[in-house]
Structures are given as C-alpha cells and as structure tokens.
Amino acid sequence: MTRGGRRQNTLSRRLRGGRRVPITARSTEDRRRKEDALFAHRHLLGIESLTRDDIVTLLDLADDYAALNRQREKKRATLRGLTQINLFFENSTRTQASFELAGKRLGADVMNMSVGSSSIKKGETLIDTAATLNAMRPDILVVRHQHSGAVALLSEKVNCSVINAGDGAHEHPTQALLDALTIRNHKGRLHRLTVAICGDIRHSRVARSNIILLNQMENRVRVIAPPTLLPEGIENMGVEVFHDMAEGLNGCDVVMMLRLQRERMQGAFIPSVREYFHLWGLDRQKLAFAKPDAIVMHPGPMNRGVEITADVADDFARSVIEEQVEMGVAVRMAALDLLARQIPNDRGDAE
C-alpha cells in the first residue's frame, strides 16, 4: 500500500476490514448484477436523488477503476459503440478533461461541444439545443450550465442519460462523489467523521453537493465562512455554522477549502482579498486546530494566497488535492458505466 491507503496497481476489490482480493470473471459478473439492482438511475442530476446504497455502489466501482487507471493498459470496451457528448455552457478545463478521459478509457465515442462557437451563441434556446442533440442519437450527455435547474430541464427533453457536471449554485454531484472517495481512501471510512467546509459557501454547488452526501453518510458537517458568504437557511441543511476558523476547525478530520468565486459575486461580499485571506485563508497556524492527521482538500482551481497558502496546498503529508483529480476520472468512469447499463438497445423518441 502507498501513502494514505492508496491502492496498489492490481485490479482488486475491497472487502470489509480493508482486505482486497483479485477480481475474477465470476466475481465481476455477480457484482455487476448486484450493482445493476442497486443503482437503477437513468440520470445523475444530483446527490439528492441518491440513496446511501447508490453512493456506496458507485464508490466501490470507482475504487476498481482507480486501480485500473494505475495500470499500463487503462482501456476497457464497456462503452464501445456508445456516443458521449460533453456540452459545457461554462468553461471548465478540469471537469471537461476528466469526463473526456473517462469516456475514452471506457471505449466511448466522445465529442466536446464548444458553446462559444455554437448556435447557442446565435440565439438558440436550451430547448432547441436539446432537440438538436436528441436528433443526433447520443447515449450520454454530460452538461454544465450556469443556471440552476437547466440540466434537469434538458434531461426531460432528450432520450438519453444525462450527467450534471455542475448547474449554477445548485449541485455538482461527481465532485462530491470524488471527494467522498478521496476521504474514504485516507480515513478508511465515510461515516462518523467531522468535516469542515470553508470559504465561499454561498456561491458553491460543490459545497451543497458535499453537504448532502456527507449528511447522507452520517458525518458531522461544519461550514466556516463570513456571514456574507453563507446562503440563507444554511442551518436547515444539517450543518453547524462557524465564522471563526480556529473554532470551526477544532477537532476536524477533513478540511475542505473552497474557491472564492468572484465571477459570481454581484456586490461587495468581502472587504478585501487580503483581509479574507487573513481571517479565512488556510495556513499552518489555522490548520493546527484540526486533528494532527486531518487531510486538506480543494476542488480547484486554487487561488494560492487567497483560500490557501502554497506550503499547505503542497504538503505531501496533509494535502490530497492531486488525488482528488485522480479520483475524479475514476468516479466519472463509474458514473458513465452505471448509467450506460440502463440504456436500452432500442430507444424511441423523447417526449
């Protein structure tokens, strides 16, 4: 085993107690039947629609794909013959690249649609776009949109599976799932942990999806931010609210920093970047209030010197930020795989 409980380069599965055994053809077939029974969703639009069993099923499969991705031969034919379209209305190099790589490693035909040069910029509505794409007979659409609810609306207008790659300040389900897998890898469990989510909660779909998932898995969730960066009614989401980093980080197992999303801010939410970093940026002094083995996370991209110092972000013993990126490919492979199993061979027109 390597640092933080990372898996060795052998294709295996985890048993209770951490023991791993090789995957055989029979065990794979039996497991696929169990996964199909547990995860029977046509779309992945948010964490809210997932049960605890759904989450565990997807993470267990992602665990195997993480092991596959560390081998020399990384490709599978799981999605051979299927078409995946990545439709991003917002720029996102990391998430789009992760979904593209995931689809290609599973054998799908992957197409990235550039919204900047598409008909959408010429006045085409989202519904028109959905109808156009549906006529092309894709099997899976991966969609990111700047407005909350837009991805769910599009899913009602197409006759294929849809994955939400982030919609407004609503949800970003695969980010929460890859964060969960990273936490489980390092802590050996995904329950009864104290997790602090720090920073721009108000504008963060990542925060919302993580709060839902972590509560579903019976963790203690804290949010730490200035009052101006907390959404109304945050207390109703089952979290503890703190405005002071030292108090909020005390005894935490996981410290999850968030990007300050200045492009979404209309008005003065913080007095200055310098003051924000002084009070809410993660440095060695503030991190010392968390548990000695607490891990540091960030969904990226990072603003060094704003949300987190360079020495904390690059600390090999505490920071798992690079592993989050790695787990992102594995989680998205698992999501694509599970959704593809629900696609019938003969599909009629969308309603």
Side-chain angles (χ1 to χ4, degrees):
M1 300 289 285
T2 59
R3 177 179 75 88
R6 292 185 181 181
R7 293 154 304 283
Q8 296 175 342
N9 275 350
T10 56
L11 205 53
S12 57
R13 64 185 177 91
R14 187 196 307 269
L15 298 179
R16 290 183 182 273
R19 185 169 62 89
R20 303 186 65 84
V21 297
I23 294 177
T24 64
R26 181 166 184 174
S27 68
T28 299
E29 183 180 349
D30 292 342
R31 184 177 173 188
R32 282 182 66 89
R33 280 197 290 264
K34 183 179 179 181
E35 288 167 348
D36 292 348
L38 289 172
F39 196 97
H41 298 274
R42 180 185 174 194
H43 308 298
L44 178 56
L45 302 177
I47 299 296
E48 276 187 317
S49 62
L50 301 183
T51 66
R52 186 186 179 105
D53 285 341
D54 289 331
I55 293 168
V56 172
T57 297
L58 195 149
L59 294 185
D60 285 347
L61 182 58
D63 202 37
D64 289 337
Y65 278 128
L68 175 69
N69 288 340
R70 292 197 178 103
Q71 300 199 33
R72 186 175 183 275
E73 176 55 54
K74 300 174 177 65
K75 294 204 72 171
R76 288 271 184 90
T78 309
L79 301 187
R80 185 173 58 191
L82 300 185
T83 301
Q84 171 188 331
I85 297 178
N86 297 330
L87 178 63
F88 279 56
F89 294 82
E90 284 185 325
N91 292 329
S92 175
T93 303
R94 295 157 62 99
T95 303
Q96 182 170 323
S98 184
F99 270 111
E100 181 179 1
L101 191 56
K104 287 181 176 179
R105 285 186 178 173
L106 291 174
D109 297 317
V110 182
M111 183 182 84
N112 294 317
M113 269 194 71
S114 176
V115 172
S117 59
S118 72
S119 299
I120 299 156
K121 287 291 184 181
K122 302 172 186 176
E124 185 174 84
T125 68
L126 182 65
I127 303 303
D128 290 335
T129 301
T132 300
L133 292 174
N134 198 59
M136 298 179 187
R137 301 293 181 180
D139 300 287
I140 300 173
L141 282 179
V142 179
V143 185
R144 167 167 287 192
H145 201 281
Q146 62 269 30
H147 297 305
S148 299
V151 180
L153 174 64
L154 190 146
S155 73
E156 297 171 359
K157 306 299 180 181
V158 296
N159 195 27
C160 64
S161 292
V162 175
I163 297 178
N164 182 3
D167 62 328
H170 178 230
E171 279 226 46
H172 192 352
T174 58
Q175 179 67 49
L177 288 162
L178 74 88
D179 289 341
L181 183 59
T182 305
I183 292 171
R184 194 175 76 170
N185 287 346
H186 284 265
K187 295 300 177 182
R189 67 186 193 278
L190 191 57
H191 64 280
R192 297 180 185 175
L193 296 168
T194 302
V195 181
I197 305 176
C198 319
D200 188 358
I201 312 292
R202 184 186 190 95
H203 302 100
S204 177
R205 54 196 171 210
V206 172
R208 189 171 189 276
S209 288
N210 266 297
I211 289 168
I212 296 168
L213 188 150
L214 292 167
N215 278 330
Q216 177 78 287
M217 302 306 291
E218 300 179 1
N219 294 281
R220 183 179 181 183
V221 184
R222 301 174 180 176
V223 294
I224 311 172
T228 54
L229 292 181
L230 289 170
E232 294 181 8
I234 185 65
E235 300 87 354
N236 300 326
M237 292 191 70
V239 301
E240 301 173 70
V241 179
F242 295 86
H243 303 303
D244 178 77
M245 287 286 280
E247 185 181 359
L249 291 179
N250 186 36
C252 281
D253 299 287
V254 178
V255 181
M256 187 180 297
M257 303 306 298
L258 298 174
R259 182 173 67 86
L260 193 61
Q261 299 188 45
R262 282 175 281 183
E263 75 278 5
R264 297 184 188 275
M265 297 181 184
Q266 297 179 350
F269 286 86
I270 57 173
S272 70
V273 171
R274 182 175 180 179
E275 184 173 346
Y276 178 85
F277 173 71
H278 175 69
L279 295 174
W280 293 284
L282 186 66
D283 54 22
R284 294 281 183 188
Q285 184 178 1
K286 297 184 187 76
L287 182 58
F289 288 96
K291 288 183 179 178
D293 64 344
I295 59 173
V296 175
M297 310 181 74
H298 195 300
M302 285 183 292
N303 294 310
R304 293 169 183 257
V306 178
E307 305 114 22
I308 189 170
T309 59
D311 62 323
V312 172
D314 298 331
D315 184 350
F316 185 80
R318 307 293 290 275
S319 173
V320 297
I321 296 170
E322 286 189 10
E323 186 174 344
Q324 286 176 267
V325 178
E326 179 187 2
M327 293 304 108
V329 178
V331 159
R332 285 155 185 147
M333 289 173 74
L336 290 167
D337 181 351
L338 290 170
L339 291 180
R341 300 180 197 182
Q342 308 301 321
I343 299 173
N345 288 328
D346 185 16
R347 304 199 303 276
D349 295 331
E351 295 180 0

